[in-house]
Amino acid sequence: MLADVHIVGPNAVAPGATSYGVVVQVSSGPIALSRLVVDAGDGAAAAAGASGQSATQTPAQTGGTGGNGNEFSTTCDNTSRGAGGVAGTNVLVGGGQGNGGAGGAGGTMDTDCSILTPNFDATAGLTGDNAAVFSAGVFGAGGSGGSANAGGCNSGVGTPGANGLPGRISNGAGGAAGTGSQLVASWWGANAGAAGTLGLGGGGGGGGGGGGGCDDGTDAHGAGGGGGGAGGARAVSAGAGGAGGGGSFAVFATGSTVAITASTLTGGTGGAGGQGGQGGAGQPGGAEGPGGLHPGASAAGQGGAGGHGGHSGGGGGGQGGFSYALYSFSSTLTQSGNVLRAGVAGAGGGAGPAAGADGQPGAVGVAGQAGTAAVCAATDAC
Ligand SMILES: [Ca+2]
Ligand SMILES: [Ca+2]
């Protein structure tokens, strides 16, 4: 029996802590509360989730420059050609998955210099290599080589080798919002938001196509295509979820039999959920390599830029704290002549911000509940 007392619950101080006015736990014998005035204190705001760790922000390796073409007089030359630029590579992306494609070599000025079957036609440039990860027409694919004797090639114009495609970019997802609450050892706690997820390593760019050879006037062999830049490493970790806000309960009963009479119970203000942590940034991809110089021939293609490493997602915001005059779990309550006053729900935690322009933020946390009385249905799902 507890009677004729005015109880003022303390405001919770520790991050995410709950304020309780009167707590009745595991009391099989009936507890009588009579002529009480209980003003719950406020729940405390929860801690923010930690930010995700970014990868190094030094860009990944640039693709190599293609070898130069040249224009000169000779009897026959079917071997000289600008070499393709080397691919950018990145050991920070596992399994070589961030490596770009090498550029394609330029076309030669003649086809066949043998005595028996000479052929003085220039040849097309070679197609650039695909990056380690590629999808035709989408990312990382090598560019086609330029055709031989493209119109205007003697002036350096005409259809060039195609550029390699930029590398794959795959960011992580944002974390889900904290939703609902649970009882842990008979104490109440709002659920934290979920952490974001990691993205994938950035893919390398495709190699540029080589420039074609040109027989117009003095012969010229083509330039090599540029190498694809390497993809960047993904962020090291994702933004963590914000913790759940503290609750505010005037009378809180678990596993008990309680009779409440002629009392006034007033909830306080629930604590705000914690903000999700910011996502981490992936490593910038390597720049594209340019094609070589191309006197007297059409240009070679440039490599594709490496994709940046995946940004990790921001964390979800924490559930806001609940506020109830009377809150119970697995209890038998009898009431008469009481006044129950609702408090104020805690705000949901803010979304964890995205990393970079194209990263994913976390979800905004769910606002708390406020009311006169509520029952927790299960310890893991209140
Ligand atoms: Ca020729
Ligand atoms: Ca020429």
Side-chain angles (χ1 to χ4, degrees):
M1 171 64 134
L2 180 62
D4 300 304
V5 181
H6 184 183
I7 295 170
V8 179
N11 293 332
V13 175
T18 292
S19 175
Y20 301 94
V22 173
V23 175
V24 184
Q25 288 184 334
V26 196
S27 176
S28 55
I31 296 290
L33 305 177
S34 186
R35 298 184 304 277
L36 301 184
V37 174
V38 183
D39 299 323
D42 297 337
S51 295
Q53 184 180 346
S54 297
T56 174
Q57 294 301 293
T58 300
Q61 189 176 32
T62 299
T65 301
N68 294 334
N70 204 356
E71 183 180 39
F72 56 88
S73 295
T74 185
T75 307
C76 185
D77 184 345
N78 66 348
T79 57
S80 297
R81 61 203 318 173
V86 298
T89 61
N90 189 353
V91 297
L92 299 179
V93 180
Q97 298 288 289
N99 295 348
T108 57
M109 60 176 68
D110 301 309
T111 298
D112 188 344
C113 296
S114 65
I115 302 295
L116 297 178
T117 58
N119 181 339
F120 302 111
D121 292 344
T123 64
L126 302 185
T127 297
D129 287 348
N130 295 321
V133 293
F134 74 99
S135 176
V138 183
F139 56 79
S144 301
S147 58
N149 296 314
C153 60
N154 192 41
S155 308
V157 298
T159 305
N163 297 334
L165 294 183
R168 178 192 66 186
I169 296 173
S170 180
N171 296 313
T179 305
S181 64
Q182 54 187 301
L183 297 182
V184 178
S186 295
W187 299 102
W188 185 87
N191 290 331
T197 62
L198 296 176
L200 301 176
C214 181
D215 295 319
D216 188 356
T218 302
D219 276 11
H221 68 73
R234 68 181 179 180
V236 177
S237 62
S248 171
F249 305 108
V251 172
F252 185 85
T254 59
S256 300
T257 300
V258 186
I260 308 172
T261 57
S263 296
T264 300
L265 313 179
T266 305
T269 299
Q275 181 173 23
Q278 183 169 22
Q283 179 187 21
E288 63 275 17
L293 301 176
H294 54 97
S298 303
Q302 66 183 21
H308 71 69
H311 302 319
S312 60
Q319 162 76 55
F322 290 9
S323 173
Y324 282 101
L326 177 58
Y327 198 81
S328 62
F329 169 70
S330 189
S331 295
T332 301
L333 302 178
T334 56
Q335 297 189 64
S336 121
N338 299 313
V339 175
L340 272 54
R341 295 182 178 134
V344 178
D358 58 343
Q360 298 296 313
V364 176
V366 176
Q369 303 172 9
T372 53
V375 176
C376 172
T379 55
D380 60 351
C382 285

